Each structure stands twice: as C-alpha cells, then as structure tokens.
Amino acid sequence: MNRIGIVYGSTTGVTAEVAQTIQTLLGKERADLMDVSAITVEDLNRYQNLILGVSTWGMGEMQNDWEAKLKLLKEADLKGKRIVLFGLGDQIAYADTYLDAMGTLYDTLLSCGVTPVGQWPADGYACEKSTALRENRFVGLALDEDNESKKTAERIDAWLKQLDGQWL
Ligand SMILES: Cc1cc2nc3c(=O)[nH]c(=O)nc-3n(C[C@H](O)[C@H](O)[C@H](O)COP(=O)(O)O)c2cc1C
C-alpha cells in the first residue's frame, strides 16, 4: 500500500487540526503529516499519494505558507501522482470567495499536468460563489469550522470512504 503524505497550510491552526484528524483516521503507519511551511520538493516527490489542505484568507487568497510554496508544486515531479484536496473557509462571511484558495491550488495542479480527484458535492452549502466549484461540485472536501463545525467529522468520514474505493 502506498504511503500517504498529508500537507497542510494553516494560519490559526484550524486546517492543521483537520489534517491531524485525517492522519489519525488513516493511521500514522500509513500517512505522514507535514506543515507546508517546512516542505521541500523531495518531500513532495517521495509520496505517490498526496492530500493537500489549504485555508482561504484575505478575499479569496491563498493561506500565506501555501502562497510561498506554490512554486514547489511546479518544481516537483507530480506526474502519475494521486492528489486530493481539502479546504477550510467561511461560507457565510466570505460567501463570494468561499474556499477560493482550494480553487487556486486545483488550477495550479492542472497547470502541472495533474488532475486532483476526490470531488465533493456542493449541495447544502450557503456560499454564492467559489472558484473551488466546478460544474456544481467542489474540487475537494469543503469544510467550514466557522459555521458548521458539527458537520466536519461526518464530512471527513464520508470523503475518506469515497476515496477508499477510488483512490487510497
Ligand atoms: C481576515 C480573514 C479573511 C478570510 N477570508 C476568507 C475567504 O476569502 N474565503 C473563505 O472561504 N474563508 C475566509 N476566511 C475564513 C478562514 O479561512 C477560516 O477561518 C479557516 O478555518 C482558517 O483556517 P486556518 O486557521 O487553518 O488558516 C477568512 C478569515 C479571516 C479571519
């Protein structure tokens, strides 16, 4: 079984906590956890399976540490890798830019020749606009600890089950 690399960028610790939960659910013997601020090209190249987590800041901007490391994705050899995304944001206060950073990450990966899998249905979310939405599905798991923290555990669970068949 391939080892999984979980890479997250987090300003106030919310995405970090979700990344930790995902690692626990997958098992530490199966998945490594890495803060994007400390990541190298070699780290990215080491894993066949990557889970990338990002929060959105400003008005639809990348989380700072991810912003600084985006270029590494272009330098890494991502061909043939299986990549999935998860995003943290606030769908009420930032209804027009909800999870835009996940959309940016997705587009960056497309430009590197990789199409992330693990899309997530957009039903029931209150946002008006998001660059992470493609044909009415989010490009990765959509989380909102600001407004819907009670749904986070079940969303992660359902997403990992969905990935189990198609990805992990
Ligand atoms: C100043 C500020 C700007 C934000 N901008 C956005 C945004 O444009 N879109 C969004 O979905 N969430 C936005 N958020 C919400 C954060 O993404 C959310 O609180 C997230 O859980 C933070 O995760 P982190 O601590 O891992 O960085 C913003 C929050 C703050 C405080």
Side-chain angles (χ1 to χ4, degrees), residues 75-119:
E75 292 165 19
D77 185 11
L78 300 180
K79 254 188 271 96
K81 288 195 191 299
R82 288 176 285 187
I83 302 184
V84 295
L85 310 178
F86 69 93
L88 270 292
D90 180 336
Q91 66 192 295
I92 305 290
Y94 299 93
D96 286 338
T97 55
Y98 178 54
L99 301 184
D100 275 10
M102 186 163 72
T104 304
L105 200 49
Y106 184 79
D107 287 332
T108 305
L109 289 161
L110 287 186
S111 75
C112 297
V114 183
T115 305
V117 293
Q119 273 69 17

mmCIF file of all heavy atoms in Angstrom, residues 75-119:
data_model
loop_
_atom_site.group_PDB
_atom_site.id
_atom_site.type_symbol
_atom_site.label_atom_id
_atom_site.label_comp_id
_atom_site.label_asym_id
_atom_site.label_seq_id
_atom_site.Cartn_x
_atom_site.Cartn_y
_atom_site.Cartn_z
ATOM 1 N N GLU A 75 7.961 22.654 -9.421
ATOM 2 C CA GLU A 75 9.300 22.050 -9.494
ATOM 3 C C GLU A 75 9.266 20.549 -9.244
ATOM 4 O O GLU A 75 10.151 19.815 -9.677
ATOM 5 C CB GLU A 75 10.233 22.708 -8.451
ATOM 6 C CG GLU A 75 10.561 24.160 -8.774
ATOM 7 C CD GLU A 75 11.166 24.898 -7.592
ATOM 8 O OE1 GLU A 75 11.658 24.238 -6.652
ATOM 9 O OE2 GLU A 75 11.118 26.136 -7.591
ATOM 10 N N ALA A 76 8.252 20.092 -8.524
ATOM 11 C CA ALA A 76 8.175 18.670 -8.171
ATOM 12 C C ALA A 76 7.772 17.843 -9.381
ATOM 13 O O ALA A 76 7.239 18.365 -10.361
ATOM 14 C CB ALA A 76 7.166 18.471 -7.048
ATOM 15 N N ASP A 77 8.046 16.531 -9.294
ATOM 16 C CA ASP A 77 7.646 15.619 -10.361
ATOM 17 C C ASP A 77 6.314 14.987 -9.964
ATOM 18 O O ASP A 77 6.279 13.964 -9.288
ATOM 19 C CB ASP A 77 8.732 14.555 -10.553
ATOM 20 C CG ASP A 77 8.412 13.659 -11.731
ATOM 21 O OD1 ASP A 77 7.481 13.993 -12.500
ATOM 22 O OD2 ASP A 77 9.075 12.625 -11.876
ATOM 23 N N LEU A 78 5.231 15.612 -10.382
ATOM 24 C CA LEU A 78 3.911 15.174 -9.918
ATOM 25 C C LEU A 78 3.241 14.188 -10.867
ATOM 26 O O LEU A 78 2.168 13.683 -10.577
ATOM 27 C CB LEU A 78 2.999 16.399 -9.736
ATOM 28 C CG LEU A 78 3.472 17.454 -8.730
ATOM 29 C CD1 LEU A 78 2.463 18.598 -8.663
ATOM 30 C CD2 LEU A 78 3.668 16.848 -7.352
ATOM 31 N N LYS A 79 3.922 13.910 -11.974
ATOM 32 C CA LYS A 79 3.304 13.037 -12.986
ATOM 33 C C LYS A 79 2.917 11.677 -12.399
ATOM 34 O O LYS A 79 3.727 11.023 -11.745
ATOM 35 C CB LYS A 79 4.272 12.822 -14.153
ATOM 36 C CG LYS A 79 3.860 13.613 -15.379
ATOM 37 C CD LYS A 79 4.698 13.243 -16.586
ATOM 38 C CE LYS A 79 5.920 14.067 -16.700
ATOM 39 N NZ LYS A 79 7.175 13.900 -16.335
ATOM 40 N N GLY A 80 1.674 11.269 -12.612
ATOM 41 C CA GLY A 80 1.233 9.961 -12.152
ATOM 42 C C GLY A 80 0.840 9.911 -10.677
ATOM 43 O O GLY A 80 0.394 8.884 -10.181
ATOM 44 N N LYS A 81 1.042 11.034 -9.965
ATOM 45 C CA LYS A 81 0.659 11.022 -8.550
ATOM 46 C C LYS A 81 -0.843 11.152 -8.410
ATOM 47 O O LYS A 81 -1.511 11.732 -9.257
ATOM 48 C CB LYS A 81 1.331 12.186 -7.808
ATOM 49 C CG LYS A 81 2.812 11.994 -7.616
ATOM 50 C CD LYS A 81 3.335 12.965 -6.589
ATOM 51 C CE LYS A 81 4.847 12.991 -6.572
ATOM 52 N NZ LYS A 81 5.455 11.705 -6.224
ATOM 53 N N ARG A 82 -1.338 10.606 -7.287
ATOM 54 C CA ARG A 82 -2.755 10.747 -6.995
ATOM 55 C C ARG A 82 -2.901 11.797 -5.909
ATOM 56 O O ARG A 82 -2.369 11.648 -4.808
ATOM 57 C CB ARG A 82 -3.337 9.402 -6.587
ATOM 58 C CG ARG A 82 -3.436 8.501 -7.826
ATOM 59 C CD ARG A 82 -3.900 7.132 -7.490
ATOM 60 N NE ARG A 82 -2.820 6.382 -6.860
ATOM 61 C CZ ARG A 82 -2.911 5.080 -6.585
ATOM 62 N NH1 ARG A 82 -4.005 4.428 -6.846
ATOM 63 N NH2 ARG A 82 -1.902 4.445 -6.041
ATOM 64 N N ILE A 83 -3.593 12.862 -6.232
ATOM 65 C CA ILE A 83 -3.677 14.009 -5.324
ATOM 66 C C ILE A 83 -5.138 14.347 -5.050
ATOM 67 O O ILE A 83 -5.964 14.364 -5.968
ATOM 68 C CB ILE A 83 -2.949 15.230 -5.939
ATOM 69 C CG1 ILE A 83 -1.488 14.865 -6.233
ATOM 70 C CG2 ILE A 83 -3.034 16.437 -4.998
ATOM 71 C CD1 ILE A 83 -0.622 15.984 -6.739
ATOM 72 N N VAL A 84 -5.443 14.603 -3.771
ATOM 73 C CA VAL A 84 -6.774 15.092 -3.399
ATOM 74 C C VAL A 84 -6.608 16.334 -2.523
ATOM 75 O O VAL A 84 -5.553 16.545 -1.918
ATOM 76 C CB VAL A 84 -7.598 14.017 -2.636
ATOM 77 C CG1 VAL A 84 -7.886 12.828 -3.522
ATOM 78 C CG2 VAL A 84 -6.895 13.583 -1.363
ATOM 79 N N LEU A 85 -7.656 17.143 -2.477
ATOM 80 C CA LEU A 85 -7.584 18.420 -1.771
ATOM 81 C C LEU A 85 -8.669 18.527 -0.710
ATOM 82 O O LEU A 85 -9.755 17.961 -0.866
ATOM 83 C CB LEU A 85 -7.789 19.581 -2.766
ATOM 84 C CG LEU A 85 -6.941 19.578 -4.039
ATOM 85 C CD1 LEU A 85 -7.310 20.779 -4.912
ATOM 86 C CD2 LEU A 85 -5.464 19.617 -3.701
ATOM 87 N N PHE A 86 -8.365 19.272 0.354
ATOM 88 C CA PHE A 86 -9.442 19.703 1.236
ATOM 89 C C PHE A 86 -9.223 21.166 1.578
ATOM 90 O O PHE A 86 -8.092 21.659 1.572
ATOM 91 C CB PHE A 86 -9.580 18.819 2.491
ATOM 92 C CG PHE A 86 -8.458 18.923 3.492
ATOM 93 C CD1 PHE A 86 -8.538 19.810 4.555
ATOM 94 C CD2 PHE A 86 -7.333 18.122 3.379
ATOM 95 C CE1 PHE A 86 -7.513 19.891 5.500
ATOM 96 C CE2 PHE A 86 -6.300 18.196 4.309
ATOM 97 C CZ PHE A 86 -6.396 19.089 5.374
ATOM 98 N N GLY A 87 -10.338 21.875 1.818
ATOM 99 C CA GLY A 87 -10.246 23.313 2.056
ATOM 100 C C GLY A 87 -11.058 23.729 3.268
ATOM 101 O O GLY A 87 -12.106 23.160 3.565
ATOM 102 N N LEU A 88 -10.523 24.736 3.973
ATOM 103 C CA LEU A 88 -11.226 25.339 5.109
ATOM 104 C C LEU A 88 -11.558 26.774 4.756
ATOM 105 O O LEU A 88 -10.723 27.496 4.211
ATOM 106 C CB LEU A 88 -10.314 25.330 6.342
ATOM 107 C CG LEU A 88 -10.339 24.117 7.287
ATOM 108 C CD1 LEU A 88 -11.676 24.034 8.029
ATOM 109 C CD2 LEU A 88 -10.058 22.819 6.579
ATOM 110 N N GLY A 89 -12.785 27.177 5.091
ATOM 111 C CA GLY A 89 -13.178 28.557 4.825
ATOM 112 C C GLY A 89 -14.453 28.879 5.558
ATOM 113 O O GLY A 89 -14.961 28.067 6.341
ATOM 114 N N ASP A 90 -14.978 30.059 5.290
ATOM 115 C CA ASP A 90 -16.190 30.550 5.954
ATOM 116 C C ASP A 90 -17.198 30.917 4.865
ATOM 117 O O ASP A 90 -17.062 31.928 4.180
ATOM 118 C CB ASP A 90 -15.788 31.780 6.797
ATOM 119 C CG ASP A 90 -16.954 32.395 7.546
ATOM 120 O OD1 ASP A 90 -18.116 32.209 7.120
ATOM 121 O OD2 ASP A 90 -16.694 33.091 8.536
ATOM 122 N N GLN A 91 -18.205 30.045 4.708
ATOM 123 C CA GLN A 91 -19.154 30.203 3.595
ATOM 124 C C GLN A 91 -20.166 31.328 3.818
ATOM 125 O O GLN A 91 -20.872 31.711 2.877
ATOM 126 C CB GLN A 91 -19.896 28.891 3.366
ATOM 127 C CG GLN A 91 -20.789 28.493 4.521
ATOM 128 C CD GLN A 91 -21.281 27.069 4.418
ATOM 129 O OE1 GLN A 91 -22.021 26.739 3.516
ATOM 130 N NE2 GLN A 91 -20.869 26.226 5.347
ATOM 131 N N ILE A 92 -20.261 31.849 5.066
ATOM 132 C CA ILE A 92 -21.226 32.912 5.352
ATOM 133 C C ILE A 92 -20.556 34.289 5.227
ATOM 134 O O ILE A 92 -20.983 35.130 4.433
ATOM 135 C CB ILE A 92 -21.820 32.753 6.777
ATOM 136 C CG1 ILE A 92 -22.425 31.355 6.965
ATOM 137 C CG2 ILE A 92 -22.831 33.859 7.068
ATOM 138 C CD1 ILE A 92 -23.698 31.075 6.195
ATOM 139 N N ALA A 93 -19.492 34.508 5.986
ATOM 140 C CA ALA A 93 -18.819 35.812 5.968
ATOM 141 C C ALA A 93 -18.106 36.066 4.637
ATOM 142 O O ALA A 93 -17.937 37.210 4.230
ATOM 143 C CB ALA A 93 -17.821 35.905 7.119
ATOM 144 N N TYR A 94 -17.691 34.987 3.969
ATOM 145 C CA TYR A 94 -16.963 35.120 2.698
ATOM 146 C C TYR A 94 -17.686 34.315 1.612
ATOM 147 O O TYR A 94 -17.099 33.469 0.924
ATOM 148 C CB TYR A 94 -15.508 34.669 2.875
ATOM 149 C CG TYR A 94 -14.782 35.506 3.895
ATOM 150 C CD1 TYR A 94 -14.731 35.121 5.233
ATOM 151 C CD2 TYR A 94 -14.188 36.713 3.547
ATOM 152 C CE1 TYR A 94 -14.104 35.905 6.187
ATOM 153 C CE2 TYR A 94 -13.561 37.511 4.485
ATOM 154 C CZ TYR A 94 -13.523 37.100 5.806
ATOM 155 O OH TYR A 94 -12.899 37.890 6.746
ATOM 156 N N ALA A 95 -18.985 34.622 1.468
ATOM 157 C CA ALA A 95 -19.850 33.838 0.577
ATOM 158 C C ALA A 95 -19.438 33.937 -0.895
ATOM 159 O O ALA A 95 -19.799 33.069 -1.696
ATOM 160 C CB ALA A 95 -21.304 34.292 0.738
ATOM 161 N N ASP A 96 -18.696 34.980 -1.251
ATOM 162 C CA ASP A 96 -18.274 35.137 -2.659
ATOM 163 C C ASP A 96 -16.878 34.595 -2.926
ATOM 164 O O ASP A 96 -16.431 34.562 -4.080
ATOM 165 C CB ASP A 96 -18.299 36.617 -3.056
ATOM 166 C CG ASP A 96 -19.724 37.103 -3.243
ATOM 167 O OD1 ASP A 96 -20.614 36.254 -3.480
ATOM 168 O OD2 ASP A 96 -19.937 38.326 -3.147
ATOM 169 N N THR A 97 -16.182 34.242 -1.865
ATOM 170 C CA THR A 97 -14.801 33.745 -2.055
ATOM 171 C C THR A 97 -14.569 32.475 -1.238
ATOM 172 O O THR A 97 -13.428 32.139 -0.905
ATOM 173 C CB THR A 97 -13.754 34.813 -1.634
ATOM 174 O OG1 THR A 97 -14.012 35.216 -0.269
ATOM 175 C CG2 THR A 97 -13.790 36.020 -2.545
ATOM 176 N N TYR A 98 -15.669 31.763 -0.942
ATOM 177 C CA TYR A 98 -15.542 30.562 -0.104
ATOM 178 C C TYR A 98 -14.591 29.554 -0.757
ATOM 179 O O TYR A 98 -14.792 29.141 -1.895
ATOM 180 C CB TYR A 98 -16.930 29.945 0.120
ATOM 181 C CG TYR A 98 -16.922 28.669 0.932
ATOM 182 C CD1 TYR A 98 -16.322 28.610 2.188
ATOM 183 C CD2 TYR A 98 -17.527 27.516 0.443
ATOM 184 C CE1 TYR A 98 -16.321 27.439 2.937
ATOM 185 C CE2 TYR A 98 -17.532 26.336 1.189
ATOM 186 C CZ TYR A 98 -16.921 26.308 2.434
ATOM 187 O OH TYR A 98 -16.918 25.144 3.172
ATOM 188 N N LEU A 99 -13.550 29.204 -0.036
ATOM 189 C CA LEU A 99 -12.588 28.168 -0.478
ATOM 190 C C LEU A 99 -11.864 28.497 -1.782
ATOM 191 O O LEU A 99 -11.401 27.582 -2.469
ATOM 192 C CB LEU A 99 -13.285 26.796 -0.626
ATOM 193 C CG LEU A 99 -13.962 26.201 0.595
ATOM 194 C CD1 LEU A 99 -14.485 24.805 0.256
ATOM 195 C CD2 LEU A 99 -13.037 26.132 1.787
ATOM 196 N N ASP A 100 -11.769 29.764 -2.110
ATOM 197 C CA ASP A 100 -11.095 30.119 -3.363
ATOM 198 C C ASP A 100 -9.653 29.592 -3.418
ATOM 199 O O ASP A 100 -9.149 29.273 -4.500
ATOM 200 C CB ASP A 100 -11.091 31.645 -3.566
ATOM 201 C CG ASP A 100 -12.371 32.121 -4.221
ATOM 202 O OD1 ASP A 100 -13.327 31.319 -4.353
ATOM 203 O OD2 ASP A 100 -12.432 33.315 -4.602
ATOM 204 N N ALA A 101 -9.012 29.509 -2.261
ATOM 205 C CA ALA A 101 -7.622 29.014 -2.260
ATOM 206 C C ALA A 101 -7.559 27.567 -2.748
ATOM 207 O O ALA A 101 -6.586 27.172 -3.402
ATOM 208 C CB ALA A 101 -7.016 29.125 -0.860
ATOM 209 N N MET A 102 -8.601 26.788 -2.433
ATOM 210 C CA MET A 102 -8.623 25.405 -2.941
ATOM 211 C C MET A 102 -8.778 25.415 -4.464
ATOM 212 O O MET A 102 -8.202 24.569 -5.161
ATOM 213 C CB MET A 102 -9.744 24.601 -2.270
ATOM 214 C CG MET A 102 -9.734 23.140 -2.647
ATOM 215 S SD MET A 102 -10.679 22.069 -1.546
ATOM 216 C CE MET A 102 -12.360 22.502 -1.964
ATOM 217 N N GLY A 103 -9.529 26.395 -4.979
ATOM 218 C CA GLY A 103 -9.648 26.549 -6.434
ATOM 219 C C GLY A 103 -8.304 26.905 -7.058
ATOM 220 O O GLY A 103 -7.929 26.377 -8.111
ATOM 221 N N THR A 104 -7.557 27.779 -6.395
ATOM 222 C CA THR A 104 -6.230 28.174 -6.901
ATOM 223 C C THR A 104 -5.273 26.982 -6.892
ATOM 224 O O THR A 104 -4.514 26.767 -7.846
ATOM 225 C CB THR A 104 -5.643 29.307 -6.021
ATOM 226 O OG1 THR A 104 -6.570 30.375 -5.991
ATOM 227 C CG2 THR A 104 -4.307 29.794 -6.549
ATOM 228 N N LEU A 105 -5.334 26.215 -5.808
ATOM 229 C CA LEU A 105 -4.468 25.034 -5.711
ATOM 230 C C LEU A 105 -4.804 24.037 -6.833
ATOM 231 O O LEU A 105 -3.914 23.482 -7.479
ATOM 232 C CB LEU A 105 -4.699 24.386 -4.334
ATOM 233 C CG LEU A 105 -3.641 23.451 -3.763
ATOM 234 C CD1 LEU A 105 -2.259 24.050 -3.841
ATOM 235 C CD2 LEU A 105 -3.989 23.110 -2.310
ATOM 236 N N TYR A 106 -6.095 23.856 -7.060
ATOM 237 C CA TYR A 106 -6.552 22.952 -8.120
ATOM 238 C C TYR A 106 -6.019 23.416 -9.480
ATOM 239 O O TYR A 106 -5.464 22.620 -10.247
ATOM 240 C CB TYR A 106 -8.078 22.924 -8.124
ATOM 241 C CG TYR A 106 -8.699 21.964 -9.106
ATOM 242 C CD1 TYR A 106 -8.764 20.602 -8.832
ATOM 243 C CD2 TYR A 106 -9.256 22.423 -10.300
ATOM 244 C CE1 TYR A 106 -9.351 19.717 -9.724
ATOM 245 C CE2 TYR A 106 -9.850 21.538 -11.198
ATOM 246 C CZ TYR A 106 -9.892 20.189 -10.904
ATOM 247 O OH TYR A 106 -10.473 19.317 -11.793
ATOM 248 N N ASP A 107 -6.159 24.709 -9.759
ATOM 249 C CA ASP A 107 -5.697 25.227 -11.052
ATOM 250 C C ASP A 107 -4.180 25.109 -11.194
ATOM 251 O O ASP A 107 -3.667 24.847 -12.281
ATOM 252 C CB ASP A 107 -6.132 26.688 -11.224
ATOM 253 C CG ASP A 107 -7.630 26.791 -11.496
ATOM 254 O OD1 ASP A 107 -8.198 25.830 -12.068
ATOM 255 O OD2 ASP A 107 -8.234 27.810 -11.131
ATOM 256 N N THR A 108 -3.465 25.322 -10.095
ATOM 257 C CA THR A 108 -2.007 25.182 -10.132
ATOM 258 C C THR A 108 -1.629 23.748 -10.490
ATOM 259 O O THR A 108 -0.735 23.501 -11.308
ATOM 260 C CB THR A 108 -1.386 25.558 -8.765
ATOM 261 O OG1 THR A 108 -1.815 26.868 -8.419
ATOM 262 C CG2 THR A 108 0.130 25.517 -8.812
ATOM 263 N N LEU A 109 -2.335 22.799 -9.886
ATOM 264 C CA LEU A 109 -2.042 21.389 -10.168
ATOM 265 C C LEU A 109 -2.396 21.033 -11.604
ATOM 266 O O LEU A 109 -1.647 20.306 -12.273
ATOM 267 C CB LEU A 109 -2.788 20.488 -9.176
ATOM 268 C CG LEU A 109 -2.201 20.557 -7.760
ATOM 269 C CD1 LEU A 109 -3.192 20.063 -6.728
ATOM 270 C CD2 LEU A 109 -0.900 19.753 -7.676
ATOM 271 N N LEU A 110 -3.509 21.570 -12.092
ATOM 272 C CA LEU A 110 -3.858 21.330 -13.504
ATOM 273 C C LEU A 110 -2.737 21.819 -14.405
ATOM 274 O O LEU A 110 -2.354 21.144 -15.365
ATOM 275 C CB LEU A 110 -5.155 22.063 -13.881
ATOM 276 C CG LEU A 110 -6.494 21.528 -13.359
ATOM 277 C CD1 LEU A 110 -7.636 22.335 -13.977
ATOM 278 C CD2 LEU A 110 -6.674 20.051 -13.652
ATOM 279 N N SER A 111 -2.188 22.991 -14.067
ATOM 280 C CA SER A 111 -1.116 23.550 -14.903
ATOM 281 C C SER A 111 0.153 22.706 -14.803
ATOM 282 O O SER A 111 1.047 22.812 -15.632
ATOM 283 C CB SER A 111 -0.842 25.017 -14.546
ATOM 284 O OG SER A 111 -0.125 25.085 -13.336
ATOM 285 N N CYS A 112 0.250 21.880 -13.760
ATOM 286 C CA CYS A 112 1.390 20.954 -13.614
ATOM 287 C C CYS A 112 1.088 19.603 -14.256
ATOM 288 O O CYS A 112 1.878 18.656 -14.144
ATOM 289 C CB CYS A 112 1.703 20.709 -12.133
ATOM 290 S SG CYS A 112 2.204 22.161 -11.227
ATOM 291 N N GLY A 113 -0.084 19.479 -14.856
ATOM 292 C CA GLY A 113 -0.415 18.232 -15.558
ATOM 293 C C GLY A 113 -1.095 17.188 -14.687
ATOM 294 O O GLY A 113 -1.217 16.030 -15.076
ATOM 295 N N VAL A 114 -1.520 17.577 -13.472
ATOM 296 C CA VAL A 114 -2.194 16.626 -12.574
ATOM 297 C C VAL A 114 -3.626 17.088 -12.330
ATOM 298 O O VAL A 114 -3.862 18.258 -12.045
ATOM 299 C CB VAL A 114 -1.491 16.575 -11.196
ATOM 300 C CG1 VAL A 114 -2.152 15.533 -10.303
ATOM 301 C CG2 VAL A 114 -0.029 16.286 -11.355
ATOM 302 N N THR A 115 -4.572 16.161 -12.440
ATOM 303 C CA THR A 115 -5.957 16.494 -12.115
ATOM 304 C C THR A 115 -6.317 15.836 -10.788
ATOM 305 O O THR A 115 -6.418 14.614 -10.708
ATOM 306 C CB THR A 115 -6.918 15.978 -13.210
ATOM 307 O OG1 THR A 115 -6.482 16.506 -14.472
ATOM 308 C CG2 THR A 115 -8.348 16.434 -12.939
ATOM 309 N N PRO A 116 -6.481 16.651 -9.733
ATOM 310 C CA PRO A 116 -6.847 16.068 -8.449
ATOM 311 C C PRO A 116 -8.193 15.359 -8.524
ATOM 312 O O PRO A 116 -9.086 15.777 -9.263
ATOM 313 C CB PRO A 116 -6.935 17.292 -7.519
ATOM 314 C CG PRO A 116 -6.066 18.322 -8.158
ATOM 315 C CD PRO A 116 -6.249 18.107 -9.629
ATOM 316 N N VAL A 117 -8.331 14.279 -7.748
ATOM 317 C CA VAL A 117 -9.619 13.585 -7.638
ATOM 318 C C VAL A 117 -10.227 13.928 -6.272
ATOM 319 O O VAL A 117 -9.762 14.822 -5.590
ATOM 320 C CB VAL A 117 -9.455 12.064 -7.854
ATOM 321 C CG1 VAL A 117 -9.041 11.782 -9.275
ATOM 322 C CG2 VAL A 117 -8.467 11.468 -6.864
ATOM 323 N N GLY A 118 -11.276 13.220 -5.866
ATOM 324 C CA GLY A 118 -11.872 13.478 -4.551
ATOM 325 C C GLY A 118 -12.835 14.643 -4.530
ATOM 326 O O GLY A 118 -12.971 15.339 -3.510
ATOM 327 N N GLN A 119 -13.547 14.866 -5.642
ATOM 328 C CA GLN A 119 -14.540 15.946 -5.709
ATOM 329 C C GLN A 119 -15.634 15.720 -4.673
ATOM 330 O O GLN A 119 -15.874 14.581 -4.246
ATOM 331 C CB GLN A 119 -15.145 16.016 -7.117
ATOM 332 C CG GLN A 119 -14.359 16.888 -8.093
ATOM 333 C CD GLN A 119 -13.020 16.311 -8.473
ATOM 334 O OE1 GLN A 119 -12.768 15.138 -8.273
ATOM 335 N NE2 GLN A 119 -12.141 17.129 -9.022
#
